[in-house]
Amino acid sequence: MRGRTVSPVFVGREEELEALSESLDEARKGQVTAVLLGGEAGVGKTRLVQRFAERCVEGGAHVLFGGCVELSTEGLAYAPFTAALRQLVREQGPAAVAALLPEGAERDLARLLPEFGEPSGDGETDTGRARLFEQFLTLLERLADTRPTVLVIEDIHWADRSSRDLIAFLSRNLHAPQVLIVMTYRSDDLHRQHPLRPVLAELGRVGGVHRLDLPRLSRDEVAEQMAGILGEVPQYAKVEKVYERSEGIPLFVEAMLEGGEDCSFPESMQDLILNSVERLPEETQRVLRVAAAGGIRVSHALLAAVSGLSDVELETALRPAIAGNVLQIADSRAYVFRHSLIREAVHDELLPGEHQRLHARFAEEISKNRLLVPPGRASVELAHHWYGARNDHWALISAWEAAQKSFKAFAYTEAVPLLERVLMLWDRVPDAAELIEADHTTVLERASEAANAGGDVDKGMKFVKAALAELDETREPERVAQLIVRRAAFKSSKDHPGVIEDLYEALRLVPENSLDHAEVVTPLSRRLMLKGEIAEAGRLIAEALRRVRELGDRCLEADLLMNLALGHSLGGELESAIVINEQALEIGRKEGSGRLITRAIGNNIDALIDMGREDEALRMSEDGWKIAKKYGRLRGSGLFIKNNWAEALESIGRWDEAVEIVEGALGHGPALRTRHALLRVRADIALARGELQLVEGILGEIGVLKGRPKDLVQDVISNARLLIGWHLLRGEPGAALAVAEQVLAHPRQSSKAMLSWRLLSLLRTVCDAAEPAEPERTAAVREHAAGVAAELSLIGPVAEAYRLSYSGDFDAAAAAWERLRRPHNQAKALLRAATAAARSGDREGAAARLRVALPLAQALRATPLIDEIEALSRRVGLGQPAQEPSELLTPRELEVLRLVTQGRTNRDIAAELFISAKTVSVHVSNILAKLGVTTRGEAAAAAHRLSLLSR
């Protein structure tokens, strides 16, 4: 007698189940945040997570379920998170869920579930998506305060872009204990261009994210599965046959056993999957075809309406499918295909005409009654079905409506393909503009806005160019100007030229005494400041400030004030920069603008670092990050704050913490300019630790090694400084000198301590290293550098410390760096001071300085600096406790012997070790006697034979 289709016995998977349980245990401690469970279609991922969920519930955990559906790729944004949220609301009620969030935050969730009231409408749509992410993060953390919380998301290979972004965000930022996200995906579906591949690669680098691959069943496990299904031990030959054909995929084992006692196996796996369907009554198969057109999940009411059957007739038709485990009953009176492969196979069997008719029927019924689908899904369902029905008229209308809904949910990346569909269908629908109450150009503008918000710069640029081609600047100058400003933003994000030219063009098109004019001046003046054209930017800001104050736009006023403060900062006027930023910060607080607040905080952190006030900068960084999180600005100003936080840590020698901050910030997917800034901080530390390969990789990414032109002052100076450091570390002072010549030729410098003064200090080192081989070029560089230094203002202790290093007063510089608590700079200054002392014959003074410098460098693991300090220590005769002395030779004799083996003369050795040639002669005589040799060549051979110089 036949048993059930699905084995009642949980076969195999004990190792994987244990791994999931261990991950939950580690999640309780805050050490693991997510598990990525991959496997082929039909291999048993769902069964495994269901069993794991049962264990979790038995252990007192709260389990939330969300699944991705194939429709998600066409715009069903946040599908798995909406499902989990809906489950939570059913369990606890909307008021209880809202109570877990900050006051008013539930309005962000209202974009997904109407139970939370009206969505927020604060006007800062660019921050809404980030804020929505923060609310999900907060919700999970609050749920975990009382008991372990597990979020299961199935089939993320079908996840929409917004869901993928939210998955990555949560995986990177969930640090609270007792939260675990378990995600499943089809590993065999991930072709090279699959959008999930880069997400998986990114998450693989995130600490606390585990990967778990679910293999096929072994032969013994297949036999165990068959026994569970059949209710008896299967014959050996039957097991062999099933195992050979199924290749250990549980779903196929089930399908084969559906073939009957004789196991008449179909030739293709498609037939295998359909076998259980074809055994059902004809009316049941017809209704399954209807259901397959509706998706993997369809409500009873919708299926009844589309099929034309009464409730009783539909239940009668579906009962065999449910009994045969083809369909399963879900909550809210809905039906779900047991496996997506079954739905796909049934859907693929639809004839072309049947396919169109069924999608049309679904669209018609949903149009009549939108309550037939879950809240918030009607628009995207209609767009999907009308497009599947090949009804261009309604496909265009529904795609436009779904795109607008996506905007409200901050699902900008889902809006883009919907708007592309509108554009594709435009010429097929004669009255398209009247139908959606928007012209073709408006659709392009909307698409460029979505691409901009979603970070798709290439598509955004394409849409902007197309929209500009349709507009006449003489008729609609403000509209053209707005698009040109957006084009400039795209160029800036790609680090392409022409940004300022675009902004000047936009400025020409808008009325001078208007807010539109001030809105263009804002990005233009900031760009001019960064380029070093401070006077011109200041003139534009002064005029725009007068205008916006008259018109009462406080937010624009704050933006312009911060641009003005940027000019003060680049000019070294740090106190005034902080005062102006504080004015903008106060406006931001009064206006409730998270964007203004976080930008002002980030700017002041930068100024504090340049003033040597790192303790304040670190406190402000920590507070600023929390504020950015509160306002949903993590990936914007929040990462700018993180970059400055890392800079503060790097300057005071807390390098490991700085690296951790940088790597965490890079994991958030920052904008290109912010990414490059973070990479520069990482490169500074890598240079100081001698990590040449890492430095080379960073320089390659930011375009330094390719000589990519830069027009912003801080980029020019910072990149040159890193490239010079790289050449010096590689022992290429001539190449470093060439970079120095190029950067000094740049028409604009900055009095900011961490820019030009820091660069000049390094140029002193370059010239000292290159002078023996290139005396004339070095002299020219020194003269040029002196001219630059004369033009710079000198404000604050950091700039003064760099000036002392540049001028060669290394002892004073070391004292200044000690007061500022910047150990790497202090150790470098002490080394330079020790070198000068040794050359003047003060070996004791040199040794005293080196004794202070060495532990500073060692604590930082600054390998190149350690090597230089130890080399000079040997030359001045300072003993090295870590080096065991030779039983034959003294430490000083070992240093002399090392140079003898290099073929150096007594005079060369004397200069190298800061001793007289006569003293060298005495040391050489002692060495020859102790080694029992008569010539310098024999001494060298003996040194190698006895391994004296390897100690």
Side-chain angles (χ1 to χ4, degrees):
M1 182 174 176
R2 297 278 324 280
R4 66 186 68 191
T5 313
V6 179
S7 172
V9 179
F10 186 72
V11 177
R13 311 311 192 200
E14 291 301 328
E15 183 178 335
E16 290 77 17
L17 190 59
E18 186 60 31
L20 288 171
S21 298
E22 288 177 2
S23 294
L24 179 59
D25 290 340
E26 293 182 47
R28 293 175 193 268
K29 307 170 189 174
Q31 296 173 350
V32 173
T33 58
V35 176
L36 294 164
L37 177 62
E40 299 171 85
V43 82
K45 300 181 293 297
T46 297
R47 187 79 187 275
L48 174 61
V49 295
Q50 285 174 346
R51 176 55 63 94
F52 173 62
E54 291 169 4
R55 274 196 183 183
C56 292
V57 172
E58 290 169 2
H62 187 192
V63 182
L64 297 171
F65 289 93
C68 305
V69 296
E70 194 170 9
L71 184 60
S72 299
T73 56
E74 295 194 1
L76 190 53
Y78 306 116
F81 298 96
T82 302
L85 193 59
R86 186 175 293 114
Q87 175 192 336
L88 191 60
V89 169
R90 280 198 310 271
E91 293 172 351
Q92 301 185 9
V97 176
L100 296 170
L101 298 169
E103 185 177 353
E106 72 276 4
R107 295 177 62 200
D108 291 318
L109 300 183
R111 299 179 183 278
L112 304 183
L113 281 185
E115 287 89 335
F116 292 108
E118 286 296 317
S120 58
D122 60 5
E124 288 197 29
T125 56
D126 62 325
T127 70
R129 169 183 159 104
R131 197 169 55 247
L132 183 64
F133 284 20
E134 287 298 319
Q135 306 313 347
F136 269 107
L137 177 63
T138 301
L139 184 60
L140 288 174
E141 290 175 341
R142 295 286 174 81
L143 285 170
D145 285 342
T146 55
R147 57 174 169 160
T149 299
V150 179
L151 173 60
V152 177
I153 304 176
E154 292 203 74
D155 299 320
I156 63 171
H157 53 277
W158 282 334
D160 57 280
R161 169 68 183 272
S162 293
S163 291
R164 293 196 301 271
D165 288 347
L166 182 48
I167 284 168
F169 174 83
L170 292 175
S171 300
R172 288 191 300 260
N173 292 282
L174 259 177
H175 302 302
Q178 299 213 112
V179 184
L180 181 67
I181 306 175
V182 178
M183 296 164 279
T184 71
Y185 65 94
R186 285 188 192 172
S187 54
D188 52 332
D189 265 14
L190 301 187
H191 53 78
R192 291 184 64 185
Q193 302 302 317
H194 196 287
L196 185 62
R197 287 181 72 95
V199 178
L200 294 177
E202 177 187 349
L203 295 183
R205 296 188 291 270
V206 175
V209 176
H210 289 180
R211 291 282 291 268
L212 185 60
D213 294 318
L214 193 60
R216 296 178 178 183
L217 297 179
S218 67
R219 181 199 171 283
D220 291 342
E221 288 168 340
V222 168
E224 189 178 351
Q225 181 190 7
M226 291 173 65
I229 293 171
L230 298 172
E232 60 185 17
V233 177
Q235 296 178 353
Y236 175 82
K238 195 170 188 177
V239 171
E240 285 295 301
K241 193 171 186 180
V242 170
Y243 178 64
E244 181 183 345
R245 297 298 301 276
S246 72
E247 297 184 351
I249 296 178
L251 181 67
F252 295 163
V253 173
E254 295 169 4
M256 288 176 182
L257 295 183
E258 281 292 305
E261 294 295 335
D262 59 351
C263 278
S264 54
F265 300 107
E267 288 299 319
S268 70
M269 287 304 177
Q270 178 88 344
D271 291 339
L272 267 178
I273 296 166
L274 287 173
N275 196 310
S276 58
V277 175
E278 291 172 347
R279 293 169 59 85
L280 299 171
E282 184 56 40
E283 178 63 5
T284 301
Q285 292 187 48
R286 185 187 76 81
V287 177
L288 285 176
R289 289 195 293 273
V290 177
I296 196 169
R297 174 193 175 100
V298 61
S299 71
H300 176 92
L302 179 57
L303 188 55
V306 173
S307 65
L309 299 176
S310 67
D311 287 347
V312 174
E313 290 170 335
L314 180 59
E315 290 164 357
T316 301
L318 291 181
R319 197 173 300 280
I322 294 168
N325 205 28
V326 173
L327 275 188
Q328 295 176 338
I329 300 175
D331 53 4
S332 303
R333 296 197 70 201
Y335 302 106
V336 180
F337 281 89
R338 178 169 61 84
H339 199 287
S340 56
L341 285 175
I342 299 174
R343 190 206 70 84
E344 291 174 18
V346 174
H347 189 265
D348 289 345
E349 290 293 299
L350 294 175
L351 299 173
E354 186 180 21
H355 179 278
Q356 292 183 27
R357 286 195 303 274
L358 285 176
H359 280 289
R361 288 289 299 124
F362 273 101
E364 290 163 1
E365 294 301 331
I366 296 171
S367 297
K368 293 176 188 175
N369 182 6
R370 296 193 171 210
L371 296 178
L372 291 172
V373 296
R377 285 182 54 171
S379 59
V380 72
E381 293 273 0
L382 284 170
H384 171 72
H385 288 302
W386 282 126
Y387 188 65
R390 303 297 185 264
N391 186 317
D392 294 342
H393 176 96
W394 285 108
L396 181 139
I397 295 172
S398 58
W400 175 254
E401 179 190 349
Q404 305 319 304
K405 294 281 187 182
S406 294
F407 265 86
K408 290 181 180 179
F410 311 121
Y412 305 112
T413 48
E414 282 63 53
V416 171
L418 289 164
L419 291 168
E420 285 180 316
R421 183 180 297 172
V422 173
L423 295 168
M424 179 189 70
L425 295 170
W426 194 269
D427 291 336
R428 302 183 198 172
V429 182
D431 52 349
E434 290 74 18
L435 289 172
I436 65 171
E437 299 181 350
D439 60 17
H440 191 265
T441 308
T442 299
V443 179
L444 287 167
E445 289 172 318
R446 199 71 168 147
S448 74
E449 184 181 348
N452 183 38
D456 194 338
V457 175
D458 293 329
K459 277 190 177 180
M461 184 68 83
K462 180 185 71 175
F463 294 135
V464 166
K465 288 180 178 178
L468 285 171
E470 295 181 2
L471 292 174
D472 183 348
E473 69 175 49
T474 61
R475 294 181 179 179
E476 299 178 280
E478 290 88 353
R479 195 176 181 185
V480 171
Q482 188 178 37
L483 284 166
I484 292 174
V485 169
R486 187 167 294 156
R487 183 176 70 189
F490 287 139
K491 286 182 178 179
S492 178
S493 65
K494 295 284 282 186
D495 209 15
H496 287 173
V499 176
I500 286 180
E501 291 78 4
D502 272 358
L503 293 172
Y504 270 122
E505 183 183 353
L507 195 66
R508 176 181 61 81
L509 295 172
V510 292
E512 192 165 332
N513 293 313
S514 67
L515 281 178
D516 288 332
H517 191 274
E519 286 176 350
V520 178
V521 166
T522 301
L524 174 59
S525 59
R526 184 173 187 275
R527 188 78 182 187
L528 287 170
M529 287 292 188
L530 291 172
K531 194 176 179 182
E533 299 181 17
I534 296 175
E536 172 64 9
R539 183 187 66 78
L540 288 169
I541 290 171
E543 294 174 0
L545 276 173
R546 175 184 54 79
R547 193 174 306 115
V548 298
R549 284 166 176 163
E550 289 173 357
L551 297 172
D553 193 317
R554 300 304 307 282
C555 289
L556 265 179
E557 180 185 353
D559 274 320
L560 290 164
L561 283 172
M562 285 188 280
N563 289 353
L564 185 64
L566 174 62
H568 283 269
S569 176
L570 291 171
E573 302 167 12
L574 301 170
E575 292 286 0
S576 59
I578 289 177
V579 170
I580 297 170
N581 278 323
E582 287 291 340
Q583 295 174 17
L585 179 60
E586 186 60 29
I587 293 173
R589 287 171 176 155
K590 288 180 179 178
E591 297 295 316
S593 171
R595 179 181 61 81
L596 295 175
I597 292 170
T598 51
R599 183 186 170 196
I601 289 172
N603 289 345
N604 273 350
I605 296 168
D606 182 67
L608 289 170
I609 296 169
D610 273 278
M611 297 174 73
R613 292 159 58 180
E614 276 80 12
D615 287 342
E616 294 174 66
L618 291 174
R619 285 195 297 271
M620 191 176 289
S621 296
E622 192 167 354
D623 292 342
W625 177 248
K626 292 175 183 176
I627 292 170
K629 187 176 181 180
K630 172 185 173 183
Y631 284 104
R633 301 288 306 175
L634 285 186
R635 296 183 71 183
S637 302
L639 294 184
F640 173 56
I641 289 171
K642 278 273 189 175
N643 176 72
N644 291 341
W645 191 348
E647 287 183 353
L649 290 168
E650 184 273 331
S651 67
I652 60 175
R654 290 164 60 177
W655 290 353
D656 292 337
E657 294 174 69
V659 169
E660 186 177 348
I661 291 284
V662 168
E663 291 177 349
L666 290 173
H668 283 283
L672 188 64
R673 283 193 54 76
T674 306
R675 178 176 176 82
H676 285 180
L678 288 161
L679 288 173
R680 289 187 188 103
V681 178
R682 185 66 186 90
D684 275 321
I685 296 171
L687 272 174
R689 285 182 166 166
E691 299 166 336
L692 262 176
Q693 189 172 358
L694 177 57
V695 176
E696 186 171 352
I698 292 174
L699 295 182
E701 179 173 343
I702 63 180
V704 174
L705 297 181
K706 296 178 181 177
R708 192 178 298 160
K710 299 284 183 181
D711 63 347
L712 305 187
V713 171
Q714 59 189 26
D715 292 348
V716 171
I717 294 175
S718 298
N719 288 353
R721 181 175 52 74
L722 289 174
L723 187 56
I724 287 170
W726 184 66
H727 282 306
L728 289 177
L729 191 59
R730 286 162 53 95
E732 300 168 346
L737 190 66
V739 179
E741 292 167 337
Q742 292 171 8
V743 70
L744 286 172
H746 192 270
R748 294 178 181 84
Q749 297 291 332
S750 167
S751 293
K752 191 175 180 183
M754 297 296 282
L755 289 178
S756 290
W757 280 115
R758 187 180 186 183
L759 175 69
L760 288 173
S761 173
L762 179 62
L763 295 189
R764 171 71 184 242
T765 304
V766 173
C767 290
D768 288 349
E771 192 164 33
E774 300 274 3
E776 293 181 3
R777 287 177 62 200
T778 299
V781 169
R782 289 190 194 275
E783 183 179 355
H784 200 161
V788 170
E791 296 294 323
L792 298 179
S793 59
L794 185 65
I795 303 173
V798 178
E800 172 61 14
Y802 277 122
R803 186 198 67 78
L804 290 168
S805 295
Y806 163 68
S807 64
D809 192 349
F810 299 118
D811 282 320
W817 291 126
E818 184 178 15
R819 289 192 297 272
L820 289 165
R821 295 186 299 111
R822 299 195 177 188
H824 190 240
N825 287 2
Q826 181 189 352
K828 287 193 295 183
L830 286 168
L831 173 63
R832 300 299 301 279
T835 302
R839 284 175 178 162
S840 67
D842 182 10
R843 296 195 316 183
E844 288 301 319
R849 293 170 175 85
L850 294 173
R851 288 190 187 98
V852 177
L854 183 59
L856 293 174
Q858 289 173 331
L860 296 168
R861 303 200 305 280
T863 304
L865 184 57
I866 293 170
D867 291 344
E868 286 188 72
I869 293 170
E870 290 182 341
L872 184 59
S873 297
R874 289 191 297 268
R875 291 167 63 193
V876 300
L878 181 62
Q880 299 293 317
Q883 181 179 359
E884 295 182 6
S886 166
E887 294 179 359
L888 291 173
L889 306 177
T890 67
R892 173 58 90 189
E893 288 168 347
L894 283 172
E895 287 303 314
V896 172
L897 177 59
R898 188 186 307 277
L899 296 173
V900 166
T901 61
Q902 296 173 10
R904 308 283 285 276
T905 66
N906 285 1
R907 183 174 296 176
D908 292 336
I909 296 171
E912 180 75 13
L913 299 181
F914 307 106
I915 55 180
S916 68
K918 183 176 180 181
T919 302
V920 173
S921 178
V922 172
H923 282 310
V924 170
S925 297
N926 290 337
I927 291 167
L928 296 178
K930 289 181 179 182
L931 295 179
V933 295
T934 56
T935 67
R936 298 165 81 97
E938 290 175 351
H944 289 296
R945 184 177 69 255
L946 299 173
S947 299
L948 295 177
L949 302 181
S950 63
R951 300 185 184 187

